[in-house]
C-alpha cells in the first residue's frame, strides 16, 4: 500500500553559494507515475501562487517566504497530490509522479535534504562552487578559474597551465579528484599543469585542510574534488557550444557538449579544442640577473600552446542502481619561455619570433587518458558505491640538446619522459541504521607504475601501492547540531628502480686517482609506510548563523623524488638529492568556520591553525655536489607551524548591486631544521578581492544583463626562502559584462560574456608563478569574448 | 546579530590578524652573496683571449653579510652559442662548430673560515691539445643560508 501513498523524491539543490535568501523558489517536473512520461498542463498550487507545467512537464513556482509550506498538484485524470515542503534553500529538482488511478493519497513526506543543507551539517570545512561560478570566472585553465575561491591560488606556468595551491601548499600535498578517482600525473614537477578539461564540469568542492581521512595519503593540504555531473532528466536532450576568443594570447577555443537520457540509459559527450599563441606581458625587456631579453611586440616568446580534449560517458539509472562509465582524453602541447628555462639562460638558433603561434623547443607534451566507472547501489539502509579507475599519463619534456657538465650533447630533444599508469578501486558503504546516524566506511586502493626515459635524469622509475580503510560516523545530535568522527589507516609501499647514467663521469678516489664510471643514480629499494588519519568535528546551525569546528590529523607518504632523487636539474642550477630515510609527513589542523547571513549582508570566516611534525622540504645547502659543480639541494624534514584563514563579506544594495569582499592570508614558519625561522617556498602573500556586480533591467533582447568590476589587491611578499626573490605588492583591475540574449527563436538564450582582464595593463609579478624566478611579469591586458550557445529549448 | 556573536566575531578577526603581525622574528638572512669581476686585478674579463698551453690565475671577488661557504668554477665550451654571459658586453663569437676535444674545467672549493669577503684565486692550466674557440667561465658562490650567486664570462681560447 505504501507505494500507493506517495511517489516523489526531492533532491539536489545545486546552488551552494547562497547569498541573502529571503525567498525560495521551487522547480520541478511532473511525470506520469506509470509511463514516466512528462505531463503537460498540470496545475501546481502554492499557498499564494500557482503555475502550470510546460510541455516537458517542468514548472517553476515561487517566491515562497515561509520555510514550511504545502503545494497541491492536480490534473484531470490524475489523482490530486498534496505535498508538504520544508525549504532550507530553493529546490531545483522536485520530481512529482502523478497516478492515473483514483487511489487516495493520505500523506506525503518530502525525503532528502538539499545539497546546501548537507554541506551546512557537515563539520568539514568545504567550499563548493557550481557551474554558474565556473562560467563567470572562466579563465585559461581550470585552476585559474578556481583561484577566485578564497584560500585557493595557483602556480601558473605561462598562460595555459596551472596547478592548485590551497592555503599556500601545492604539488603533491593537494589531491585533485575527478568523479571519485584521484587524478594522478607528475604533480611534483614545477612545470607540470593539471590535465583536466575545464569544460563540462558542474560542481567543484574544495576542502581547505588535511583530508587524508577521506582521500588517503597526499590529501594533506586539501582536495579539489570535481564531482560527477548531474544525471540528465528523463527523456531529455541538452547541449551547448562554448566559444572563446582572447586578445592577449590570440586564443581561440571551442568546446561542445551534449547529454541525453531515455528512461534508464543516458550519455554525455564533449569535445574541446583550444589553440593559443605566445602571451603578452606589459614589458619590452625582461631583466634577469644581468641578462637582458628583448621581447618582440611584448610577446613572451614560445609560450604558445594547444589543447585537444574528448570525453564520453555512458550511464544507466534505475530505482536502486546508478552506474556511469567515463572515458576521457586530454592532450596538450605547451611551449616554455625560450630565453630561460627554469633559471638557465639559453640562446638558440631557432627563430622564435617568426610566428607567435608556433611551439618550438623547449616544450612539453602531455596525454592523459582515463576510464572511470562510478556505480552506486541502494539496498535498504545501505548505499554501496564503487569507483574503479584506470589512467595513463604520458608526459614528454623536450629541450634543445646541449652538453652539460660531463654529459655529451644528446642526439635528440627528449630530455625527460614520464609514463605513468594508475589503477584505483574505491569501495564505500553509506549505512543509515536510523535517522540520526550515517556511518560511512570503505577502502581505497591504488597502484601506480611510473616509468622514465630521456637523457635527463631527475627521479627514478617506481611502483607505488597504497591501500587504506576508513570509517566515519555523522551523528545528528539535534536537528541543528551534528557531530562527525572518523578514523583511517593506510599502508603503502614504494619500490624505486635503479638508474645508471648513460655517459661516464670522472670519479675521484681516496688515493688521489681518478677513473671514469657510469654513475649509479638510484638503487632498487622498497620502502614501506603505515600511518593513521583521524578527524573529529561538530557543526551547529543557529538559524542564520552556522558554526563549524573540526580537528584533523592527516599524513602523506614520501614520494619517489623525495626519497630517491639523485639528479642534476640544470634548468634550476641545482643538484637534487633525495633521502631514503624520510618519514611520512603528518599534519594536525584545527579549522573553524563561521557563516552569518541576514537581510543586509553575509559574512563568513574560516580561520585555521596547522602544525606539521615533519614537513618534507627541498633545502638548498651551501655545498656543491662534488663532481657536477651544482649547488646541492637536499630533501630534509622540519617542523612547520602555519595559521591563517579567509574572510568573506557580501551585501546587496537596492536589490541590484552586490558587493563582495574577500581577504586571505597564510602565515608559515619552519620551526626546526636548517631553515628554521624561514617560511615555505611559494608562500602566497596577503591578498584581497573586492568586486561589485550590478544587474540591469531586462530589455527586449538582454536578459539579466550584468556588469562586474573586480579589484585584486595583493601585499608584497617579503617572506621568502632561497632561491626566491621578494615580490612587490600590486593592484590589478578587471571588468566584465554578461548577459543572456535571445538570439535564436527556438532555443534557450545564449550567454555572452565580455571580459577585460588587467584593465590598466599593469605590470606586476605573481609570487607563485613559475616565471617569477626569472622576473617575468604577469600577462598584460586581455579582452576575452565568450559565448555559450545552448542546443536545446 | 546578537552581541555575543559580534564580540566573538571581532575576537576571532583580531586573533587571526594578530597572528599575522606578531612575528617572533628570528634574524633571517635574506641577502645573496655578491660576486664580481669589476675590479682591476680580476681575470679573465669579458671577451678575454687565453692561450692554449698556458697557466692562468683566475680572480674574482665575493662578499656576503653572513659568511661565504663554497664556490665553484666551471669553464666549458660555447661552440654551439648556447648561452651568453651577463657582463653586459657583447663579444664576437666564432662560427658554430662541433667539439672534438673541448676543454672542460670544473672545480669547487669549501671555505672553512666562512669569511664575509673573499677573493677567489684559482689556478687554471689550459692543456695544449684542446679545441680552440669560444668558452664560458662561470663562477658561483654560496653563503651559509644557501643563497647562491653566479656570474659568467665569455672568453676565447686561442692557439
Amino acid at each position: 500500500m505504501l507505494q500507493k501513498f506517495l511517489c516523489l523524491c526531492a533532491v539536489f539543490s545545486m546552488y551552494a553559494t547562497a547569498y541573502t535568501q529571503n525567498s525560495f523558489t521551487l522547480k520541478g517536473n511532473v511525470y506520469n507515475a506509470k509511463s514516466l512520461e512528462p505531463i503537460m498542463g498540470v496545475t501546481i498550487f502554492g499557498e499564494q501562487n500557482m503555475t502550470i507545467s510546460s510541455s516537458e512537464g517542468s514548472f517553476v513556482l515561487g517566491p515562497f517566504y515561509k520555510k514550511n509550506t504545502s503545494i497541491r498538484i492536480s490534473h484531470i485524470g490524475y489523482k490530486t497530490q498534496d505535498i508538504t515542503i520544508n525549504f532550507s534553500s530553493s529546490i531545483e529538482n522536485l520530481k512529482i509522479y502523478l497516478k492515473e488511478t483514483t487511489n487516495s493519497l493520505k500523506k506525503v513526506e518530502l525525503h532528502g535534504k538539499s545539497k546546501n543543507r548537507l554541506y551546512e551539517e557537515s563539520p568539514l570545512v568545504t567550499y563548493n562552487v557550481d557551474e554558474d561560478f565556473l562560467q563567470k570566472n572562466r579563465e585559461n585553465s581550470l585552476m585559474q578559474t578556481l583561484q577566485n575561491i578564497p584560500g585557493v591560488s595557483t602556480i601558473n606556468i605561462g598562460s595555459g597551465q596551472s596547478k592548485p595551491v590551497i592555503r599556500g601548499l601545492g604539488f603533491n600535498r593537494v589531491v585533485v579528484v575527478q568523479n571519485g578517482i584521484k587524478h594522478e600525473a607528475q604533480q611534483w614537477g614545477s612545470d607540470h599543469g593539471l590535465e583536466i578539461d575545464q569544460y563540462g564540469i558542474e560542481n567543484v568542492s574544495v576542502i581547505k585542510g588535511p583530508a587524508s581521512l577521506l582521500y588517503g595519503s597526499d590529501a594533506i593540504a586539501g582536495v579539489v574534488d570535481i564531482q560527477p555531473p548531474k544525471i540528465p532528466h528523463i527523456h531529455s536532450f541538452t547541449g551547448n557550444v562554448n566559444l572563446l576568443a582572447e586578445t592577449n594570447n590570440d586564443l581561440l577555443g571551442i568546446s561542445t557538449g551534449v547529454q541525453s537520457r531515455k528512461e534508464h540509459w543516458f550519455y554525455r559527450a564533449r569535445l574541446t579544442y583550444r589553440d593559443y599563441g605566445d602571451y603578452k606581458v606589459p614589458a619590452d625587456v625582461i631583466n634577469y640577473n644581468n641578462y637582458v631579453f628583448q621581447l618582440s611586440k611584448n610577446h613572451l616568446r614560445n609560450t604558445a600552446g594547444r589543447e585537444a580534449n574528448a570525453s564520453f560517458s555512458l550511464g544507466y539509472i534505475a530505482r536502486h542502481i546508478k552506474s556511469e562509465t567515463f572515458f576521457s582524453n586530454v592532450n596538450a602541447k605547451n611551449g616554455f619561455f625560450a630565453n630561460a628555462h627554469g633559471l638557465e639562460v639559453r640562446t638558440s638558433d631557432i627563430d622564435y619570433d617568426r610566428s607567435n603561434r608556433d611551439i618550438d623547443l623547449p616544450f612539453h607534451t602531455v596525454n592523459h587518458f582515463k576510464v572511470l566507472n562510478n556505480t552506486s547501489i541502494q539496498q535498504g539502509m545501505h548505499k554501496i558505491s564503487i569507483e574503479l579507475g584506470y589512467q595513463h599519463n604520458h608526459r614528454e619534456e623536450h629541450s634543445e640538446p646541449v652538453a652539460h657538465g660531463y654529459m655529451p650533447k644528446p642526439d635528440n630533444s627528449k630530455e625527460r619522459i614520464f609514463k605513468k599508469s594508475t589503477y584505483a578501486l574505491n569501495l564505500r558503504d553509506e549505512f543509515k541504521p536510523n535517522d540520526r546516524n550515517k556511518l560511512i566506511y570503505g577502502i581505497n586502493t591504488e597502484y601506480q607504475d611510473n616509468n622514465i626515459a630521456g637523457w635527463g635524469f631527475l627521479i627514478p622509475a617506481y611502483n607505488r601501492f597504497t591501500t587504506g580503510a576508513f570509517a566515519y560516523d555523522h551523528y545528528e545530535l539535534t536537528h541543528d547540531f551534528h557531530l562527525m568522527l572518523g578514523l583511517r589507516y593506510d599502508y603503502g609501499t614504494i619500490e624505486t628502480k635503479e638508474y645508471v647514467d648513460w655517459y661516464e663521469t670522472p670519479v675521484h678516489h681516496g688515493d688521489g686517482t681518478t677513473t671514469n664510471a657510469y654513475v649509479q643514480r638510484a638503487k632498487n629499494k622498497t620502502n614501506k609506510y603505515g600511518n593513521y588519519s583521524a578527524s573529529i568535528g561538530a557543526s551547529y546551525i543557529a538559524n542564520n548563523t552556522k558554526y563549524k569546528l573540526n580537528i584533523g590529523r592527516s599524513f602523506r607518504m614520501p614520494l619517489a623524488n623525495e626519497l630517491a632523487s639523485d639528479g642534476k636539474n640544470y634548468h634550476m642550477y641545482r643538484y637534487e638529492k633525495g633521502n631514503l630515510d624520510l618519514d611520512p609527513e603528518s599534519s594536525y589542523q584545527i579549522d573553524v568556520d563561521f557563516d552569518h547571513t541576514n537581510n543586509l549582508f553575509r559574512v563568513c570566516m574560516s580561520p585555521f591553525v596547522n602544525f606539521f611534525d615533519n614537513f618534507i622540504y627541498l633545502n638548498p645547502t651551501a655545498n656543491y655536489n662534488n663532481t657536477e659543480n651544482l649547488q646541492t639541494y637536499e630533501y630534509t624534514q622540519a617542523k612547520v607551524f602555519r595559521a591563517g584563514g579567509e574572510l568573506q563579506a557580501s551585501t546587496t544594495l537596492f536589490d541590484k548591486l552586490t558587493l563582495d569582499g574577500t581577504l586571505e592570508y597564510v602565515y608559515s614558519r619552519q620551526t626546526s631544521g636548517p631553515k628554521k625561522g624561514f617560511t615555505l617556498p611559494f608562500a602566497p602573500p596577503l591578498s584581497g578581492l573586492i568586486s561589485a556586480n550590478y544587474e540591469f533591467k531586462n530589455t527586449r533582447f538582454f536578459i539579466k544583463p550584468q556588469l562586474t568590476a573586480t579589484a585584486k589587491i595583493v601585499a608584497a611578499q617579503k617572506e621568502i626562502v632561497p632561491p626566491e626573490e621578494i615580490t612587490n605588492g600590486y593592484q590589478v583591475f578587471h571588468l566584465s559584462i554578461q548577459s543572456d540574449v535571445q538570439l535564436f527563436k527556438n532555443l534557450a538564450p545564449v550567454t555572452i560574456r565580455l571580459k577585460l582582464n588587467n584593465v590598466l595593463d599593469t605590470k606586476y609579478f605573481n609570487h607563485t608563478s613559475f616565471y617569477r624566478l626569472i622576473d617575468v611579469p604577469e600577462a598584460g591586458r586581455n579582452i576575452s569574448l565568450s559565448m555559450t550557445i545552448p542546443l536545446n529549448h | 546579530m546578537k552581541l555575543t556573536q559580534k564580540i566573538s566575531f571581532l575576537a576571532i578577526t583580531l586573533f587571526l590578524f594578530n597572528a599575522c603581525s606578531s612575528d617572533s622574528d628570528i634574524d633571517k638572512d635574506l641577502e645573496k652573496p655578491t660576486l664580481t669581476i669589476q675590479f682591476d686585478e680580476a681575470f679573465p674579463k669579458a671577451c678575454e683571449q687565453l692561450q692554449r698551453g698556458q697557466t692562468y690565475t683566475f680572480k674574482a671577488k665575493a662578499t656576503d653579510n653572513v659568511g661565504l661557504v663554497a664556490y665553484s668554477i666551471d669553464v666549458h665550451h660555447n661552440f654551439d652559442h648556447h648561452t651568453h654571459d651577463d657582463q653586459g658586453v657583447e663579444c664576437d663569437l666564432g662560427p658554430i662548430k662541433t667539439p672534438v676535444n673541448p676543454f672542460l674545467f670544473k672545480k669547487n672549493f669549501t671555505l672553512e673560515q666562512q669569511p664575509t669577503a673573499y677573493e677567489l684565486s684559482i689556478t687554471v692550466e689550459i692543456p695544449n691539445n684542446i679545441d680552440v674557440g669560444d668558452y664560458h667561465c662561470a663562477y658561483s658562490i654560496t653563503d651559509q643560508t644557501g643563497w647562491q650567486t653566479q656570474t659568467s664570462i665569455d672568453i676565447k681560447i686561442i692557439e
Side-chain angles (χ1 to χ4, degrees):
Chain A
M1 280 306 274
L2 195 65
Q3 69 264 44
K4 286 192 176 175
F5 289 145
L6 65 127
C7 319
L8 78 85
C9 1
V11 189
F12 312 125
S13 128
M14 303 308 307
Y15 298 101
T17 359
Y19 292 106
T20 319
Q21 269 186 342
N22 310 320
S23 64
F24 306 100
T25 50
L26 174 65
K27 291 182 188 171
N29 289 280
V30 190
Y31 302 109
N32 182 317
K34 218 177 204 174
S35 69
L36 301 176
E37 299 277 352
I39 316 172
M40 185 177 100
V42 178
T43 316
I44 300 107
F45 294 95
E47 282 176 7
Q48 280 154 358
N49 33 31
M50 60 156 287
T51 186
I52 289 172
S53 67
S54 71
S55 57
E56 293 87 40
S58 65
F59 68 90
V60 180
L61 191 59
F64 292 94
Y65 295 96
K66 290 195 296 182
K67 283 201 161 189
N68 297 304
T69 190
S70 61
I71 58 165
R72 168 165 289 186
I73 303 104
S74 80
H75 192 52
I76 296 165
Y78 291 85
K79 180 69 196 163
T80 298
Q81 276 193 33
D82 286 312
I83 299 181
T84 316
I85 307 266
N86 190 351
F87 284 110
S88 56
S89 67
S90 288
I91 293 170
E92 292 292 320
N93 185 13
L94 179 72
K95 288 178 187 152
I96 298 162
Y97 297 93
L98 288 184
K99 296 230 164 194
E100 282 181 83
T101 51
T102 53
N103 290 330
S104 73
L105 186 83
K106 288 189 178 146
K107 192 188 165 204
V108 168
E109 283 175 50
L110 188 67
H111 292 288
K113 288 172 174 172
S114 75
K115 201 161 184 177
N116 202 23
R117 173 74 194 189
L118 287 176
Y119 155 69
E120 285 169 358
E121 287 178 356
S122 164
L124 280 180
V125 181
T126 55
Y127 195 98
N128 301 294
V129 296
D130 57 20
E131 207 174 1
D132 190 48
F133 175 96
L134 294 170
Q135 288 190 2
K136 271 192 178 150
N137 291 283
R138 183 81 70 208
E139 292 292 338
N140 271 332
S141 66
L142 176 65
M143 284 320 303
Q144 287 171 27
T145 303
L146 294 179
Q147 69 179 338
N148 281 340
I149 297 175
V152 176
S153 56
T154 60
I155 292 176
N156 293 335
I157 308 106
S159 68
Q161 287 197 90
S162 54
K163 57 203 296 148
V165 175
I166 295 178
R167 287 174 167 166
L169 298 180
F171 298 94
N172 268 83
R173 291 187 182 85
V174 170
V175 160
V176 178
V177 174
Q178 191 177 21
N179 302 332
I181 299 281
K182 259 158 97 172
H183 184 83
E184 279 294 344
Q186 308 297 336
Q187 298 97 305
W188 57 274
S190 60
D191 47 10
H192 156 274
L194 190 61
E195 309 89 344
I196 289 181
D197 185 358
Q198 66 162 323
Y199 289 97
I201 294 173
E202 290 180 1
N203 268 280
V204 180
S205 167
V206 176
I207 301 180
K208 294 182 275 188
S212 66
L213 173 71
L214 307 180
Y215 299 91
S217 169
D218 296 4
I220 199 163
V223 178
V224 176
D225 187 355
I226 300 164
Q227 290 161 4
K230 280 176 295 181
I231 297 199
H233 294 303
I234 211 158
H235 296 297
S236 70
F237 172 86
T238 56
N240 58 40
V241 179
N242 290 277
L243 299 173
L244 175 67
E246 296 190 358
T247 57
N248 181 282
N249 56 0
D250 294 333
L251 177 140
L252 288 171
I254 180 166
S255 178
T256 181
V258 290
Q259 55 177 12
S260 179
R261 174 170 161 197
K262 295 275 180 206
E263 253 176 62
H264 297 300
W265 290 94
F266 59 94
Y267 73 87
R268 312 170 210 272
R270 179 164 291 276
L271 288 172
T272 300
Y273 186 78
R274 287 146 38 86
D275 193 307
Y276 51 93
D278 300 344
Y279 73 100
K280 286 188 280 252
V281 294
D284 302 317
V285 274
I286 304 286
N287 282 295
Y288 161 59
N289 269 344
N290 295 316
Y291 297 104
V292 178
F293 311 132
Q294 302 284 344
L295 299 185
S296 156
K297 295 178 198 154
N298 305 94
H299 282 122
L300 202 63
R301 56 178 62 88
N302 202 44
T303 54
R306 59 158 183 74
E307 187 185 321
N309 312 324
S311 63
F312 177 76
S313 81
L314 186 67
Y316 179 83
I317 181 166
R319 217 163 148 189
H320 297 298
I321 186 166
K322 190 168 91 178
S323 180
E324 186 168 6
T325 306
F326 304 87
F327 301 84
S328 67
N329 196 67
V330 169
N331 185 290
K333 181 177 180 182
N334 303 82
F336 292 115
F337 181 44
N339 296 81
H341 189 182
L343 297 174
E344 186 193 23
V345 176
R346 299 297 296 267
T347 55
S348 172
D349 286 337
I350 299 172
D351 180 12
Y352 289 105
D353 296 335
R354 70 175 178 268
S355 160
N356 67 329
R357 294 204 84 86
D358 58 350
I359 306 167
D360 292 307
L361 296 167
F363 68 83
H364 85 153
T365 60
V366 65
N367 192 79
H368 199 102
F369 173 73
K370 277 189 191 182
V371 192
L372 313 177
N373 175 274
N374 292 359
T375 298
S376 63
I377 302 157
Q378 186 84 46
Q379 192 72 57
M381 291 178 288
H382 295 269
K383 186 184 167 192
I384 295 160
S385 305
I386 305 155
E387 287 145 3
L388 192 64
Y390 166 75
Q391 48 191 317
H392 184 77
N393 183 282
H394 181 144
R395 181 178 151 87
E396 298 193 356
E397 296 175 19
H398 291 253
S399 55
E400 273 188 271
V402 170
H404 258 311
Y406 295 100
M407 180 185 80
K409 183 175 165 170
D411 57 7
N412 61 56
S413 67
K414 290 181 180 173
E415 182 171 7
R416 281 191 270 274
I417 294 171
F418 300 101
K419 288 182 189 173
K420 175 173 187 170
S421 296
T422 307
Y423 307 83
L425 171 67
N426 302 331
L427 291 173
R428 191 170 59 243
D429 179 24
E430 199 177 305
F431 173 48
K432 284 182 186 164
N434 50 49
D435 283 348
R436 297 225 146 155
N437 272 302
K438 187 165 80 177
L439 176 69
I440 297 169
Y441 59 96
I443 55 161
N444 306 127
T445 310
E446 189 193 80
Y447 178 74
Q448 296 178 10
D449 180 5
N450 290 267
N451 292 295
I452 57 160
W455 43 263
F457 173 75
L458 212 51
I459 75 165
Y462 66 98
N463 296 334
R464 176 176 128 147
F465 172 77
T466 48
T467 184
F470 64 91
Y472 61 96
D473 188 48
H474 186 115
Y475 182 69
E476 187 175 310
L477 213 59
T478 68
H479 182 251
D480 293 319
F481 190 30
H482 296 251
L483 295 174
M484 197 180 113
L485 176 70
L487 257 179
R488 177 188 178 104
Y489 188 81
D490 280 272
Y491 173 79
T493 60
I494 284 194
E495 187 191 341
T496 54
K497 312 263 184 77
E498 70 166 15
Y499 180 86
V500 177
D501 276 346
W502 57 274
Y503 55 89
E504 289 183 311
T505 303
V507 178
H508 306 289
H509 301 286
D511 57 3
T513 58
T514 301
T515 52
N516 284 338
Y518 294 97
V519 178
Q520 178 165 11
R521 299 283 171 190
K523 295 184 187 120
N524 285 321
K525 175 102 202 292
T526 302
N527 282 40
K528 297 187 172 112
Y529 302 95
N531 216 310
Y532 73 94
S533 314
S535 175
I536 181 165
S539 76
Y540 181 64
I541 304 168
N543 297 323
N544 297 334
T545 311
K546 292 125 200 167
Y547 303 88
K548 290 182 183 192
L549 173 71
N550 196 70
I551 302 170
R553 180 197 196 270
S554 271
F555 93 105
R556 183 177 73 88
M557 272 170 53
L559 286 168
N561 61 319
E562 294 163 337
L563 293 168
S565 279
D566 189 4
K568 297 142 289 180
N569 192 339
Y570 282 105
H571 303 313
M572 299 303 285
Y573 291 129
R574 68 192 185 202
Y575 168 76
E576 298 174 6
K577 185 98 189 75
N579 180 352
L580 283 167
D581 298 325
L582 293 175
D583 292 320
E585 276 182 349
S586 56
S587 159
Y588 302 84
Q589 182 157 317
I590 303 176
D591 273 293
V592 175
D593 194 53
F594 165 89
D595 186 329
H596 174 81
T597 311
N598 62 28
N599 297 339
L600 299 173
F601 63 87
R602 177 182 182 209
V603 59
C604 320
M605 207 167 37
S606 37
F608 75 96
V609 176
N610 170 241
F611 178 75
F612 271 89
D613 266 342
N614 39 21
F615 188 91
I616 299 175
Y617 168 67
L618 184 59
N619 175 45
T621 70
N623 303 316
Y624 287 98
N625 164 270
N626 214 3
T627 52
E628 299 295 342
N629 260 5
L630 287 169
Q631 189 184 0
T632 304
Y633 278 55
E634 279 174 352
Y635 282 99
T636 47
Q637 295 193 295
K639 289 189 196 309
V640 169
F641 172 81
R642 299 163 65 241
E646 299 83 37
L647 187 65
Q648 261 186 291
S650 64
T651 184
T652 303
L653 304 170
F654 324 115
D655 279 346
K656 293 283 181 198
L657 180 66
T658 307
L659 299 175
D660 279 287
T662 63
L663 198 62
E664 53 186 88
Y665 181 73
V666 179
Y667 166 92
S668 37
R669 271 288 168 283
Q670 302 191 38
T671 57
S672 73
K675 290 292 179 288
K676 186 175 172 180
F678 279 88
T679 185
L680 294 172
F682 288 112
L686 169 70
S687 77
L689 194 71
I690 299 167
S691 74
N693 177 285
Y694 188 82
E695 196 175 313
F696 294 92
K697 277 189 184 150
N698 289 352
T699 65
R700 219 172 121 193
F701 296 106
F702 297 107
I703 306 155
K704 285 206 286 180
Q706 44 189 301
L707 174 72
T708 311
T710 309
K712 185 163 189 178
I713 302 159
V714 179
Q717 183 52 286
K718 292 177 179 161
E719 291 286 334
I720 52 168
V721 281
E724 294 180 347
E725 305 259 353
I726 286 176
T727 305
N728 290 329
Y730 61 90
Q731 293 96 44
V732 60
F733 303 95
H734 310 299
L735 274 178
S736 77
I737 303 169
Q738 176 185 329
S739 179
D740 288 352
V741 184
Q742 192 65 56
L743 270 188
F744 306 106
K745 213 176 170 187
N746 295 322
L747 293 179
V750 170
T751 307
I752 298 179
R753 262 176 230 94
L754 184 67
K755 277 174 81 165
L756 182 55
N757 282 13
N758 194 357
V759 175
L760 303 174
D761 207 23
T762 309
K763 181 178 176 182
Y764 67 98
F765 295 91
N766 178 353
H767 190 69
T768 60
S769 164
F770 176 70
Y771 290 128
R772 166 68 191 106
L773 283 174
I774 47 166
D775 287 328
V776 171
E778 292 299 295
R781 186 183 295 131
N782 178 37
I783 302 167
S784 76
L785 178 68
S786 73
M787 250 196 210
T788 305
I789 305 160
L791 298 173
N792 49 285
H793 301 292
Chain B
M1 235 188 328
K2 281 183 235 133
L3 188 66
T4 48
Q5 282 177 1
K6 277 187 187 162
I7 292 170
S8 61
F9 172 74
L10 266 176
I12 298 172
T13 317
L14 280 176
F15 165 77
L16 184 66
F17 289 95
N18 218 10
C20 319
S21 50
S22 67
D23 197 337
S24 57
D25 252 323
I26 306 164
D27 261 335
K28 276 173 300 194
D29 169 29
L30 297 179
E31 264 181 63
K32 284 184 180 182
T34 67
L35 190 53
T36 182
I37 56 157
Q38 303 303 324
F39 62 103
D40 288 347
E41 299 81 36
F43 185 86
K45 298 223 163 127
C47 316
E48 194 96 47
Q49 301 204 337
L50 285 75
Q51 280 183 316
R52 278 205 297 204
Q54 295 286 323
T55 298
Y56 295 93
T57 304
F58 283 28
K59 282 190 172 170
K61 268 184 186 169
T63 61
D64 185 61
N65 60 326
V66 181
L68 299 160
V69 177
Y71 63 94
S72 77
I73 178 170
D74 193 325
V75 182
H76 55 268
H77 77 82
N78 187 26
F79 301 166
D80 55 356
H81 299 179
H82 67 275
T83 37
H84 48 86
D85 73 6
D86 56 350
Q87 303 303 327
V89 186
E90 286 266 319
C91 311
D92 290 329
L93 295 179
I96 289 178
K97 61 178 190 176
T98 311
V100 181
N101 181 27
F103 182 45
L104 181 62
F105 184 85
K106 276 161 136 6
K107 236 175 174 171
N108 58 73
F109 308 86
T110 306
L111 296 164
E112 299 298 340
Q113 307 294 325
Q114 307 199 347
T116 53
Y118 186 75
E119 188 173 303
L120 287 71
S121 176
I122 307 154
T123 307
V124 179
E125 194 186 316
I126 303 176
N128 249 321
N129 57 346
I130 55 109
D131 298 349
V132 293
D134 295 307
Y135 281 83
H136 265 146
C137 169
Y139 300 111
S140 58
I141 192 153
T142 59
D143 72 3
Q144 282 175 15
T145 315
W147 292 106
Q148 177 177 238
T149 297
Q150 296 175 301
T151 193
S152 70
I153 311 152
D154 280 349
I155 55 171
K156 251 187 220 307
I157 295 181
I158 53 171
E159 293 285 340

